[in-house]
Amino acid sequence: MPKITFVDYQGNERSVEASSGDTVMEVATSNDIPGIDADCGGACACATCHVFVNEEWLKVVGKPGDLEAEMLEVAEEVTEASRLACQVHISDEMDGLIITTPESQF
Ligand code: FES
């Protein structure tokens, strides 16, 4: 089972078990990770699941698709490492993935 580590803007870390096929958003909300509201339930329509992918993991996770990139335009603090957590599907190769939640979502 891949393990995902969530880090908040203050550096507090929490590692949780995930299942391949789940989204990062689903893993976060089912584990009460703060800073990921996911208001639209994963429909790529709210941007309240905006997260930063740790630099080392950017290649594995990949870039946002067109719709996701459009939604990211309404998010705050967007960087090259930004993704919408509901659009990132976890695979076994993401074991150890590190995700940071933006300060603006707290
Ligand atoms: Fe709404 Fe991800 S949960 S865009």
Side-chain angles (χ1 to χ4, degrees), residues 18-42:
S19 298
S20 289
D22 284 353
T23 66
V24 171
M25 179 278 276
E26 288 167 333
V27 174
T29 54
S30 62
N31 285 283
D32 295 323
I33 299 294
I36 299 180
D37 287 346
D39 288 342
C40 77

Side-chain angles (χ1 to χ4, degrees), residues 8-90:
D8 72 17
Y9 71 98
Q10 292 177 312
N12 300 307
E13 289 187 13
R14 204 167 132 219
S15 296
V16 296
E17 301 271 348
S19 298
S20 289
D22 284 353
T23 66
V24 171
M25 179 278 276
E26 288 167 333
V27 174
T29 54
S30 62
N31 285 283
D32 295 323
I33 299 294
I36 299 180
D37 287 346
D39 288 342
C40 77
C44 197
C46 73
T48 62
C49 67
H50 174 212
V51 294
F52 305 116
V53 175
N54 181 280
E55 206 180 317
E56 291 168 25
W57 287 94
L58 284 173
K59 252 197 185 133
V60 177
V61 172
K63 290 190 176 300
D66 290 347
L67 180 61
E68 183 183 346
E70 263 177 50
M71 273 318 298
L72 276 168
E73 287 176 18
V74 303
E76 292 179 41
E77 304 177 61
V78 173
T79 72
E80 287 293 305
S82 290
R83 290 293 310 263
L84 294 179
C86 69
Q87 303 302 305
V88 178
H89 291 267
I90 294 164

